[in-house]
Amino acid sequence: MSEHGHGHAAVYEGGYTRLQINRMGLWFFIISEAFMFLALHFYRFLALGTYKPEGVNVILGLFLTAILLASSVFASQAEKAIARGDQKGLERNLLITMGLGLFFVLMVVYEWSVAFAHFPPSTPFGSIFFLTTGTHVLHLLSGIVILALVYLAARRGAYSAESHWGVTAGVLYWHFVDVVWLSVFLSLYVL
Amino acid sequence: MLPVFRGLLWGLIGFAIGALLTALVRIALGMEPWVFGPLFFVGYLFGLAGWLLGVGVWDTWMREFLGMEPRPYKEEGWRRYFGFNTDHKVIGIQYGVTFIGMFLLAGLLAMAMRIELMRPGRDIFDFATYNRVMSMHGFLMVLVAVTAVPGMFGNYFVPLMIGADDMAFPRMNALSYWIWPPAAILLLLSPFFGGWDSGWTAYPPLAITNEPGQMFYNLAFFTGGLSSVVGSVNFLTTIITMRAPGMTWGRVPIFVWSIFMTSIMSLTATQFVGVAMIMTVLDRVAQTAFFDPARGGYPLIYQHVFWFYSHPAVYVMIMPSWGIMLEILAHFARKPLFAYRWAVAGMAGVTALSFTVWAHHMFTSGMPETLHVPFMATTEAISVPTGLIFLAALGTLWRGKLRFKTPMLFALGMLFNFLIGGLTGVFNSDLPADMHLHDTFWVVSHFHYTILGGGIFGLIAGIYYWFPKMTGRMYNEALGRLHFWLMFIFFNLTFFPMAWLGLHGMNRRIGDYPPDLAGMNMFVSMAAFILGASFLIFVYNLVVSWIRGPVAEANPWGARTLEWATPSPPPEHNFPRVPEVLSGPYDYGVPGAVHAKV
Ligand SMILES: [Cu+2]
């Protein structure tokens, strides 16, 4: 996933390596995506304050949170595995992470089917609830696609202990999607 | 096959897949399947993905992800502009030609509006059509003002000025440009679906009940925002990590600083407008209740979300032009840029404050009155950092050996116009005054002074200044000056009277006005036509000079920044080797000072 450019990056002021440059770009992208969720929460609190209708299932929300936190642990295990050159560990942990992600999506879909009866999208709370969780699920699905591409590349032997930017990037993005879930959980379930 | 055609084909296929999937889902949910709104919305998102894959994402990224050899776009001659070219100089020119074209088109619409407004009552349009023309003019111009300078000059000159061989992420740079054509196609198609009559701000509830053409605006804005985000990630990373050795933060050219600050705003605030657009579309196609009062939604919140982006966006429109203005003033006054550090601090201060002022657009909206005074105070506070930039400009001119070439004339014109734009703005930010000024032609006058008189004057100053570098040819100086004087005089004759018209009760966004304002409106229209005609000289000068103007030297202005230390136009990798920066770029008149060894 490295940018090739014409490449003599390390000669510039500050001596940034290509890896550091890639990492910085990803971080800026993550900051930007965080503002997307900030905008959703901005609407939620400006329009509705902390209003919460009947039927918001905090227990289910906690369960969803637990799934994602667990997936983040496996994601970082995947990165640690390749950092010590453990190909099998990388592949196994990626698979578990993606599996937990898919399980999370299924649980959200289940939750939507229940929520639909209590606060359908044709009500203001329902609108922001479905849009925020939907946006998060889209991010999570894109995270699964990215990890799947990383997994395929890992199977081809594209990564080594020294060079595995693709893994780092996919895992960092995955952590971001998990952390954002915490803000979604707080804004829609808890407050 | 040229990648643009493959992109179109894959885009159409994507559109069909998205629309069909939606229809199937709707059938499964027991809903009427063939409804335009939802099918078009999802179809467009799939079509956008298809277009991007076809035009270059597949060849450059996806093949690599899938373990195949990537196929970068390598063409020469005119063909290099019609594909996923990663050279920042090609991308700069792609942006430039696209957005100057859009500017001229939007200018023609302004001419049509002035024909309608020459006399009171109805002339060439019915009033609904007038509002559609006004909306299209406004939105196209907003896109030009936000995008043209960072897109054209940011891409072309940021790497050159900091001594880099390209941007940090060349492929993402190409992506940021190729996101735009779908937005352009949407806007061109919109009139065939009724257009939209809610202005460039598109407030609900009107924006959820009017013609389907509205949605084309929403999706175009969303798409453009995507490009802004991608572009600003690239600018920020490039400026931080790819400065030539010795190019410390205190030696970075002021234009690069302006792009840096602009990118901070684009990176973050843009997401808000993206969210506002999607919410509006969902209210239209999925019967959600974000802004629709009929379903208990909150139309006023749209204005908060929208202006949280769109106030920083007005600084996205002006700040890069401040950068161009300060560059040109220093190089053409042959003096060090006065108070360089304070100018940078001014830009940083404007950037920070720009996030705290949005509700000054809403004083008459019925928002809670407790918000009135705080937003008035922050808005008036923003004139302090803006003042620093003015002082830097004035101090640079002070006792300088001014050379009145065309770029300098436009930079000085911009300084004058923006002063008036700033002063008229103080009245808008003032609560008691704004109660009367809101939505009158006073406001039209104010923001045309800042955005056309400031931002676009800066854009044109930059075009004349960098034309020899970008094309390798010299423009015609006499025609350039003629263009300046016509544009400067008739710009002021067009927009200064508009302030008077506003004070006398002429409302904006209505194709009519009280009959006693007829004389002044006729005058304004005549001035506007000459202002419009001045662009014929501009375009003639650019086209003819590009084809057969005299060959330009590497450094026709004797300027010291790095882009002038390489041939015109620069070779593929910009510099033979990475330059070594020894001192600041503005040490005019300092004996023995050398900016960089190339
Ligand atoms: Cu504003």
Side-chain angles (χ1 to χ4, degrees):
Chain A
M1 246 166 118
S2 69
E3 281 283 353
H4 300 300
H6 326 293
H8 26 92
V11 301
Y12 291 116
E13 177 77 14
Y16 293 90
T17 63
R18 190 66 239 179
L19 187 66
Q20 288 172 311
I21 293 175
N22 287 344
R23 200 186 281 267
M24 185 180 294
L26 182 60
W27 269 108
F28 279 127
F29 177 72
I30 283 175
I31 291 172
S32 183
E33 291 294 289
F35 269 76
M36 182 192 295
F37 286 90
L38 199 63
L40 293 165
H41 300 330
F42 187 80
Y43 175 93
R44 190 260 191 268
F45 292 113
L46 275 187
L48 299 163
T50 52
Y51 162 80
K52 209 168 63 166
E54 279 297 297
V56 175
N57 192 338
V58 189
I59 305 297
L60 184 59
L62 265 178
F63 181 56
L64 288 168
T65 310
I67 302 175
L68 277 194
L69 288 180
S71 79
S72 250
V73 173
F74 286 103
S76 57
Q77 287 305 318
E79 196 191 352
K80 284 196 185 117
I82 191 64
R84 47 169 203 270
D86 176 2
Q87 288 282 348
K88 282 281 156 272
L90 168 67
E91 290 168 26
R92 190 178 58 243
N93 282 301
L94 283 176
L95 280 179
I96 298 174
T97 309
M98 286 188 280
L100 286 170
L102 278 176
F103 182 52
F104 175 88
V105 174
L106 285 178
M107 292 310 291
V108 171
V109 171
Y110 162 74
E111 180 178 28
W112 283 346
S113 69
V114 179
F116 212 89
H118 291 287
F119 39 89
S122 54
T123 62
F125 185 86
S127 298
I128 191 66
F129 179 86
F130 279 91
L131 181 60
T132 309
T133 51
T135 307
H136 180 260
V137 161
L138 279 181
H139 277 78
L140 199 92
L141 287 174
S142 64
I144 293 176
V145 170
I146 291 168
L147 289 189
L149 289 170
V150 171
Y151 176 77
L152 288 178
R155 290 288 297 264
R156 288 196 309 272
Y159 304 119
S160 64
E162 296 76 35
S163 159
H164 50 267
W165 160 243
V167 181
T168 311
V171 169
L172 187 54
Y173 182 73
W174 190 267
H175 288 326
F176 161 69
V177 176
D178 293 355
V179 170
V180 153
W181 169 258
L182 293 180
S183 79
V184 174
F185 179 60
L186 281 179
S187 142
L188 295 175
Y189 291 81
V190 179
L191 292 175
Chain B
M1 185 158 45
L2 271 179
V4 280
F5 294 122
R6 196 176 62 177
L8 275 177
L9 183 65
W10 289 22
L12 285 173
I13 295 172
F15 183 91
I17 294 174
L20 279 176
L21 275 178
T22 315
L24 287 176
V25 169
R26 289 178 68 88
I27 291 172
L29 293 174
M31 292 191 278
E32 165 68 33
W34 306 110
V35 182
F36 176 76
L39 265 58
F40 181 78
F41 174 47
V42 182
Y44 173 74
L45 295 180
F46 276 69
L48 178 62
W51 156 265
L52 290 176
L53 282 171
V55 84
V57 170
W58 179 266
D59 277 351
T60 43
W61 270 291
M62 292 309 290
R63 289 180 60 90
E64 187 179 309
F65 287 154
L66 299 173
M68 296 181 273
E69 196 53 38
R71 279 190 291 222
Y73 186 74
K74 291 256 178 271
E75 296 279 350
E76 288 305 315
W78 64 271
R79 280 175 165 266
R80 75 189 131 142
Y81 297 107
F82 290 86
F84 208 76
N85 197 315
T86 55
D87 183 339
H88 69 103
K89 299 183 286 297
V90 171
I91 294 168
I93 288 178
Q94 287 170 330
Y95 264 109
V97 172
T98 309
F99 281 88
I100 291 170
M102 203 189 261
F103 175 79
L104 297 173
L105 182 66
L108 282 178
L109 295 175
M111 296 296 104
M113 287 157 72
R114 280 323 308 181
I115 293 174
E116 171 61 43
L117 293 176
M118 269 189 333
R119 285 179 296 268
R122 198 193 133 166
D123 293 312
I124 55 169
F125 301 130
D126 58 73
F127 294 141
T129 308
Y130 174 86
N131 280 359
R132 294 192 180 108
V133 172
M134 172 276 291
S135 302
M136 183 70 93
H137 161 78
F139 186 51
L140 289 178
M141 284 301 194
V142 162
L143 293 183
V144 171
V146 167
T147 315
V149 174
M152 167 158 54
F153 298 136
N155 279 313
Y156 203 108
F157 290 108
V158 163
L160 280 163
M161 289 172 117
I162 61 176
D165 56 1
D166 206 319
M167 298 282 277
F169 306 109
R171 296 182 295 184
M172 264 174 61
N173 201 16
L175 180 68
S176 85
Y177 174 75
W178 288 104
I179 289 174
W180 276 104
I185 293 172
L186 280 176
L187 292 173
L188 292 176
L189 286 178
S190 172
F192 299 101
F193 294 83
W196 79 99
D197 52 0
S198 51
W200 85 272
T201 52
Y203 287 176
L206 179 58
I208 27 189
T209 53
N210 55 1
E211 304 282 324
Q214 177 73 59
M215 226 168 38
F216 291 64
Y217 151 95
N218 292 120
L219 293 173
F221 212 155
F222 176 80
T223 310
L226 212 61
S227 164
S228 273
V229 167
V230 172
S232 41
V233 167
N234 215 345
F235 280 130
L236 290 170
T237 313
T238 304
I239 296 170
I240 294 173
T241 62
M242 295 185 57
R243 285 166 290 125
M247 176 74 76
T248 54
W249 286 107
R251 292 172 179 169
V252 169
I254 196 75
F255 175 68
V256 177
W257 269 116
S258 73
I259 293 289
F260 187 82
M261 297 298 171
T262 302
S263 301
I264 292 176
M265 293 184 278
S266 304
L267 180 79
T268 53
T270 310
Q271 297 285 0
F272 275 67
V273 83
V275 166
M277 294 300 124
I278 293 297
M279 285 175 166
T280 312
V281 173
L282 288 175
D283 272 6
R284 294 182 68 101
V285 307
Q287 284 72 50
T288 52
F290 291 106
F291 306 129
D292 188 352
R295 287 189 285 269
Y298 301 84
L300 200 58
I301 305 299
Y302 173 87
Q303 299 186 25
H304 284 291
V305 184
F306 179 85
W307 286 110
F308 190 88
Y309 162 74
S310 293
H311 188 84
V314 304
Y315 289 103
V316 170
M317 299 178 201
I318 190 68
M319 197 171 297
S321 289
W322 285 341
I324 293 175
M325 176 186 79
L326 292 176
E327 287 289 340
I328 290 176
L329 292 185
H331 300 312
F332 286 79
R334 313 307 294 167
K335 277 185 57 192
L337 182 60
F338 179 74
Y340 165 89
R341 278 159 199 271
W342 286 101
V344 174
M347 287 178 178
V350 167
T351 303
L353 281 176
S354 75
F355 290 94
T356 67
V357 300
W358 74 88
H360 63 209
H361 295 272
M362 301 166 60
F363 287 150
T364 62
S365 69
M367 70 173 176
E369 286 192 3
T370 44
L371 296 178
H372 283 175
V373 171
F375 278 100
M376 177 170 90
T378 50
T379 303
E380 290 179 357
I382 217 167
S383 49
V384 175
T386 311
L388 292 178
I389 290 157
F390 255 93
L391 290 175
L394 292 178
T396 306
L397 291 173
W398 185 254
R399 306 179 77 177
K401 286 202 196 79
L402 306 192
R403 296 186 306 181
F404 294 101
K405 299 281 188 187
T406 309
M408 181 65 157
L409 292 174
F410 273 97
L412 292 171
M414 172 184 173
L415 193 62
F416 175 84
N417 296 337
F418 194 78
L419 179 65
I420 297 182
L423 291 177
T424 49
V426 174
F427 295 90
N428 298 337
S429 69
D430 181 64
L431 194 54
D434 188 63
M435 291 293 165
H436 302 279
L437 298 172
H438 188 83
D439 260 350
T440 67
F441 258 69
W442 169 278
V443 176
V444 178
S445 168
H446 158 69
F447 71 73
H448 280 86
Y449 261 100
T450 54
I451 294 170
L452 174 54
I456 301 295
F457 265 68
L459 167 72
I460 294 174
I463 291 175
Y464 283 112
Y465 178 55
W466 281 311
F467 186 84
K469 183 55 64 181
M470 296 175 85
T471 63
R473 300 201 178 250
M474 222 38 208
Y475 65 85
N476 183 308
E477 184 65 38
L479 285 179
R481 288 181 197 200
L482 179 64
H483 171 216
F484 169 75
W485 285 110
L486 282 176
M487 186 171 161
F488 179 71
I489 291 170
F490 287 94
F491 164 79
N492 276 286
L493 291 180
T494 303
F495 290 101
F496 202 80
M498 281 189 189
W500 182 90
L501 284 169
L503 290 177
H504 288 76
M506 182 163 164
N507 282 313
R508 71 186 185 128
R509 298 182 165 185
I510 295 174
D512 197 5
Y513 48 83
D516 56 319
L517 299 178
M520 189 58 94
N521 267 296
M522 178 61 83
F523 178 83
V524 167
S525 285
M526 291 303 150
F529 297 146
I530 304 178
L531 172 63
S534 73
F535 283 94
L536 297 175
I537 304 171
F538 174 61
V539 173
Y540 172 84
N541 195 354
L542 293 192
V543 172
V544 172
S545 304
W546 198 347
I547 296 169
R548 49 160 200 259
V551 172
E553 332 156 24
N555 189 0
W557 311 123
R560 297 171 51 105
T561 39
L562 269 168
E563 80 270 31
W564 301 105
T566 186
S568 304
E572 194 191 343
H573 298 299
N574 295 348
F575 302 99
R577 58 191 179 85
V578 182
E580 199 190 329
V581 178
L582 304 172
S583 71
Y586 304 110
D587 291 342
Y588 292 102
V590 179
V594 179
H595 176 42
K597 272 205 311 236
V598 176

